[in-house]
């Protein structure tokens, strides 16, 4: 697979400063990216140093012994899940990747996490601010009030996932994270610069995506596709196992309050 896909770069600071100008070129770029691919790369977002801190945490955590990692509890879909080849507790195993899921409200209690939890929560808080600004712009373009999405995020059900893809082994499946769409509102994906993410275009062709280290990729989920009557895309994507080294990624799944009803926005009905 030699061809690769360059996704649209959107300048976060320009986006914020022109939210009231729905014909601004930056907003038009965002709108086109949402309609045509459902992915874009958010640049100048101000979270670069925090992203570095999160990857440092991920490398430290996944570098622990398997016994120590499995001491982190797994409850109500939060906590640590080992990959099948390494798991001591096979009831917790997943495929060819291992991951740690954290919510917004100290759902996971661990002595190892105590050392980094403030950094992690600051990252989550800043991620919510960035997501809120992006959603304001999307709302303005869709013709709803600036507070349309904000009102639905009073008690958001968000999940921060630290993912570790182990190097490829002869008996490994090539794609530990198979083709899927995200079911939520939007996802903020921090990447470590190691290739692996692939996106399925509308012509069904799979293409790898260039993901520079420190970038923040935004992809739209099924909820936003439903809200916009599928005028905005929730695009299938998958992750390939690295062949020589580990790969880390940190998706932050942004979801509204659990009680929110998803109904098509009026401007999206022809």
């Amino acid at each position: 697979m030699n061809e690769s896909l360059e996704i649209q770069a959107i300048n976060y600071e320009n986006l914020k400063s022109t939210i009231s100008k729905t014909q601004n070129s930056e907003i038009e770029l965002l709108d086109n990216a949402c309609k045509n691919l459902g992915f874009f790369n958010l640049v100048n977002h101000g979270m670069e140093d925090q992203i570095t801190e999160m990857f440092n945490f991920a490398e430290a955590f996944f570098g622990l012994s398997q016994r120590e990692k499995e001491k982190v509890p797994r409850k109500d879909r939060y906590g640590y899940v080992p990959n099948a080849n390494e798991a001591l507790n096979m009831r917790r195993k997943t495929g060819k990747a291992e991951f740690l899921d954290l919510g917004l409200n100290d759902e996971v209690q661990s002595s190892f996490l105590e050392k980094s939890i403030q950094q992690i929560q600051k990252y989550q808080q800043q991620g919510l601010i960035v997501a809120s600004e992006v959603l304001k712009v999307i709302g303005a373009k869709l013709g709803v009030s600036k507070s349309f999405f904000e009102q639905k995020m009073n008690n958001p059900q968000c999940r921060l996932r630290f993912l570790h893809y182990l190097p490829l082994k002869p008996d490994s499946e090539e794609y530990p994270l198979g083709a899927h769409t995200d079911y939520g509102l939007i996802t903020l994906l921090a990447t470590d610069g190691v290739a692996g993410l692939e996106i399925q275009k509308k012509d069904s062709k799979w293409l790898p995506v260039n993901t520079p280290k420190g970038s923040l990729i935004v992809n739209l989920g099924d909820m936003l596709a439903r809200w916009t009557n599928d005028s905005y895309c929730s695009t299938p994507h998958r992750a390939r196992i690295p062949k020589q080294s580990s790969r880390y990624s940190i998706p932050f799944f942004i979801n509204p309050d659990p009680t929110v009803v998803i109904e098509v926005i009026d401007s999206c009905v022809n």
Side-chain angles (χ1 to χ4, degrees):
M1 188 181 293
N2 296 321
E3 189 179 356
S4 63
L5 181 66
E6 289 287 341
I7 60 177
Q8 181 65 58
I10 307 292
N11 191 304
Y12 175 70
E13 287 298 326
N14 290 350
L15 209 58
K16 282 200 309 178
S17 64
T18 56
I19 186 172
S20 62
K21 302 174 183 178
T22 56
Q23 296 304 312
N24 176 269
S25 59
E26 204 76 31
I27 297 178
E28 293 305 308
L29 289 175
L30 174 66
D31 184 57
N32 287 334
C34 291
K35 288 178 178 176
N36 296 322
L37 192 61
F39 276 77
F40 56 89
N41 189 11
L42 200 64
V43 300
N44 200 21
H45 48 71
M47 294 180 65
E48 292 83 0
D49 290 343
Q50 288 179 299
I51 287 174
T52 298
E53 291 175 352
M54 293 301 99
F55 279 112
N56 289 341
F57 166 81
E59 290 183 20
F61 176 76
F62 292 120
L64 294 173
S65 70
Q66 193 61 34
R67 189 171 300 279
E68 287 300 311
K69 286 184 288 190
E70 291 193 39
K71 286 181 181 178
V72 177
R74 176 73 175 174
K75 183 180 179 182
D76 296 332
R77 298 180 66 204
Y78 294 100
Y80 171 68
V81 176
N83 77 79
N85 289 337
E86 304 290 335
L88 301 178
N89 181 353
M90 296 301 288
R91 290 176 298 177
R92 299 171 69 176
K93 69 181 177 66
T94 183
K96 302 300 181 181
E98 58 180 339
F99 61 88
L100 173 67
D101 279 350
L102 301 176
L104 300 176
N105 300 305
D106 299 324
E107 291 87 351
V108 180
Q109 299 294 324
S110 160
S111 58
F112 182 85
L113 286 173
E114 287 176 3
K115 295 177 285 187
S116 302
I117 195 64
Q118 288 187 338
Q119 283 183 331
I120 292 170
Q121 290 178 340
K122 286 180 181 178
Y123 180 87
Q124 290 172 314
Q125 290 162 7
Q126 188 60 38
L128 285 171
I129 291 171
V130 169
S132 176
E133 293 296 333
V134 170
L135 289 169
K136 282 180 185 177
V137 175
I138 287 175
K141 184 62 183 175
L142 294 173
V144 297
S145 69
K146 292 180 182 178
S147 62
F148 177 83
F149 290 109
E150 185 179 358
Q151 291 171 349
K152 295 165 177 59
M153 301 287 288
N154 293 318
N155 182 32
Q157 194 174 75
C158 301
R159 185 182 307 272
L160 181 65
R161 173 168 291 178
F162 296 89
L163 262 166
H164 178 211
Y165 301 95
L166 281 67
L168 184 66
K169 297 179 181 179
D171 61 343
S172 295
E173 296 176 7
E174 192 172 3
Y175 294 96
L177 190 62
H180 67 284
T181 58
D182 291 357
Y183 62 78
L185 186 50
I186 63 172
T187 302
L188 306 182
L189 175 65
T191 67
D192 65 352
V194 178
L197 177 64
E198 297 180 359
I199 295 176
Q200 188 176 35
K201 298 178 66 179
K202 289 184 176 180
D203 61 5
S204 298
K205 187 175 184 179
W206 285 96
L207 289 178
V209 177
N210 180 27
T211 55
K213 186 175 182 178
S215 64
L216 198 57
I217 296 171
V218 181
N219 72 277
L220 313 186
D222 297 343
M223 287 184 187
L224 191 54
R226 182 64 176 243
W227 249 317
T228 62
N229 204 19
D230 288 325
S231 60
Y232 281 2
C233 304
S234 180
T235 301
H237 51 283
R238 63 190 183 187
R240 180 189 293 268
I241 292 179
K243 292 186 177 181
Q244 296 179 336
S245 62
S246 292
R247 176 177 180 265
Y248 301 89
S249 69
I250 307 175
F252 188 24
F253 303 105
I254 308 295
N255 304 314
D257 303 351
T259 57
V260 168
V261 176
I262 311 299
E263 297 178 307
V264 175
I265 294 170
D266 289 344
S267 65
C268 298
V269 180
N270 61 28

